[in-house]
Amino acid sequence: MPMVLSGVALPTDTLQGRAARRGIMYGGAVSSHHLQDRACQAAVLHEMKILVPENEFKWEALRPSPTTYDFAKADALLHFARVHSKHIRGHCLAWHKQLPQWFGSVVHAGNASHMLTDHITTVVRRYAGQMHSWDVVNEQVETWEANVDGIRVTPWLTRLGYDYMDLAFHTAHAADPQAMLVYNDYALELNADWHAARRQRMLRLLQDFKSTGTPVHALGIQSHITPDGVFDPAIFTTFLDHVAAMGYAIIISEMDVVDKPFPADITRRDAMVADVYRRFWTTALAHPAVKIALTWGLTDKYTWLNTVDFARRADGLPVRSLPLDDQYHKKPAYDVLLNAFATAPMKT
Ligand code: XIL
């Protein structure tokens, strides 16, 4: 039964449709390459309202050389989104990973500020008015490996110091005053000591942004749910409360499940993954500040988790982390997510 929302008919039996009925926007990561697969494209168009280019807006993709930009793939995704009435999130403007090969030999303390602001101004201005939001700074909290007071020692930090984040957000805001600007980070969800330490540091960083008047509008919580700890709804809700109390919106920005400890048997494994989805999403969506819900992909066929060591299964089997399987069949995780949207409190 289709419903009408702002003049657009959305089927209610899709993830985006069920989410929209509760004032929630659902979507996730897509890549230009995977969208060439027609089945993948059809599933994305059917299920998602907001798209995040998985790699196309990263420095590595946009910057063939220190003085040039290659917008071909990014433009094509923007076009795709416009033609299909989808929103698009930019990801990401300052990160320590997927920097171009030339970065280390070209960018130094003397020109880093110019390199950062030139990049942000050029990219954000190009798409001004067309972006739902931008992940401006990604993954700067680090309490586990090398860090300075809980902040990761990144190429940007070593060249510019702690204040580079402030510079990045102000530059993005000047380039597109309408865009929602997001600080995005991971390992903030579980009941584990290092997640607790990261939550504390995250809150302090968000507090610093408030005191310096840095234009940060939302916290993106990646939510790659790993076996590093259990998910405790009360702990996560308390964290969301603290973030929201400072006035930030909250985006669940990259959710998926690392199924490494779960059995090979597909029925049992899918049930366990779905159970993680159920506990996580019912908690997250119950919070008034969470109105945007994203998974990092849609089908197991293309999950990034098959390419990273930390998610590799001992039995060598492909991971089953997303709502659709590699044949685009709906998994129990899909039904759970659909139901979590259907039963979420109405967002205001
Ligand atoms: C990942 C992509 O999914 C992969 O295709 C790529 O090889 C590496 O990056 N956190 C982030 C995302 O913020 O940019 C990462 O995306 C996943 C973890």
Side-chain angles (χ1 to χ4, degrees):
M1 182 67 162
M3 63 163 308
V4 174
L5 187 97
S6 319
V8 180
L10 290 176
T12 52
D13 60 343
T14 65
L15 294 174
Q16 61 164 327
R18 285 281 172 96
R21 285 178 89 173
R22 289 292 193 270
I24 301 162
M25 200 189 284
Y26 169 72
V30 297
S31 96
S32 340
H33 181 58
H34 302 151
L35 288 173
Q36 306 292 316
D37 172 342
R38 292 177 73 101
C40 179
Q41 183 178 131
V44 162
L45 291 177
H46 193 60
E47 301 292 352
M48 292 182 166
K49 185 63 187 170
I50 180 164
L51 314 178
V52 194
E54 191 166 344
N55 293 299
E56 290 78 354
F57 283 75
K58 294 173 180 172
W59 273 69
E60 183 181 67
L62 289 179
R63 304 302 304 276
S65 84
T67 51
T68 55
Y69 289 80
D70 177 355
F71 288 113
K73 284 188 175 162
D75 283 357
L77 272 176
L78 249 297
H79 178 73
F80 177 82
R82 193 166 44 242
V83 166
H84 295 288
S85 305
K86 305 295 179 187
H87 297 283
I88 200 150
R89 261 170 66 59
H91 172 84
C92 45
L93 297 167
W95 193 26
H96 60 286
K97 289 190 174 163
Q98 291 179 276
L99 288 166
Q101 274 189 353
W102 52 259
F103 190 93
S105 55
V106 169
V107 183
H108 51 77
N111 67 2
S113 171
H114 170 74
M115 293 297 292
L116 182 68
T117 55
D118 179 69
H119 180 88
I120 293 178
T121 303
T122 306
V123 177
V124 176
R125 244 192 219 154
R126 182 179 184 88
Y127 302 114
Q130 301 177 59
M131 283 288 177
H132 169 275
S133 49
W134 271 106
D135 285 338
V136 179
V137 175
N138 196 29
E139 301 185 347
Q140 192 54 75
V141 168
E142 176 57 279
T143 56
W144 186 24
E145 291 175 352
N147 69 84
V148 177
D149 186 25
I151 293 295
R152 188 190 301 271
V153 181
T154 70
W156 290 116
L157 194 90
T158 50
R159 288 162 178 79
L160 290 170
Y162 191 78
D163 291 346
Y164 95 83
M165 289 186 268
D166 187 62
L167 178 66
F169 279 102
H170 275 290
T171 308
H173 190 52
D176 185 358
Q178 306 307 321
M180 180 194 278
L181 302 185
V182 183
Y183 175 91
N184 195 48
D185 220 322
Y186 72 102
L188 299 165
E189 304 82 13
L190 302 177
N191 183 7
D193 287 349
W194 67 287
H195 280 236
R198 291 174 57 84
R199 279 191 290 272
Q200 284 312 311
R201 191 60 186 91
M202 190 65 253
L203 293 175
R204 192 145 64 86
L205 183 59
L206 292 174
Q207 193 55 61
D208 286 353
F209 290 147
K210 285 286 156 196
S211 357
T212 48
T214 308
V216 183
H217 309 120
L219 172 66
I221 303 177
Q222 291 185 8
S223 310
H224 299 288
I225 307 296
T226 64
D228 294 308
V230 288
F231 176 75
D232 180 330
I235 290 176
F236 193 56
T237 301
T238 302
F239 176 64
L240 299 182
D241 284 343
H242 287 314
V243 174
M246 285 188 259
Y248 292 102
I250 299 171
I251 298 179
I252 303 299
S253 58
E254 307 185 9
M255 194 274 183
D256 52 19
V257 173
V258 175
D259 69 358
K260 200 173 176 171
F262 301 159
D265 177 76
I266 285 179
T267 307
R268 286 173 61 213
R269 183 149 44 121
D270 284 357
M272 291 170 96
V273 169
D275 197 49
V276 179
Y277 269 69
R278 186 183 53 74
R279 284 181 290 133
F280 178 78
W281 284 109
T282 47
T283 305
L285 295 172
H287 202 282
V290 177
K291 299 179 186 171
I292 301 164
L294 301 119
T295 48
W296 203 243
L298 182 61
T299 156
D300 291 341
K301 186 171 184 182
Y302 296 124
T303 172
W304 75 299
L305 291 175
N306 279 326
T307 66
V308 285
D309 284 343
F310 78 86
R312 193 149 295 133
R313 295 176 56 85
D315 55 22
L317 292 171
V319 308
R320 300 179 63 85
S321 55
L322 287 165
L324 302 180
D325 73 10
D326 61 2
Q327 303 294 311
Y328 300 94
H329 296 131
K330 294 171 180 172
K331 293 161 57 191
Y334 179 100
D335 298 327
V336 161
L337 187 54
L338 197 70
N339 190 49
F341 287 140
T343 55
M346 180 65 87
K347 306 293 173 178
T348 51

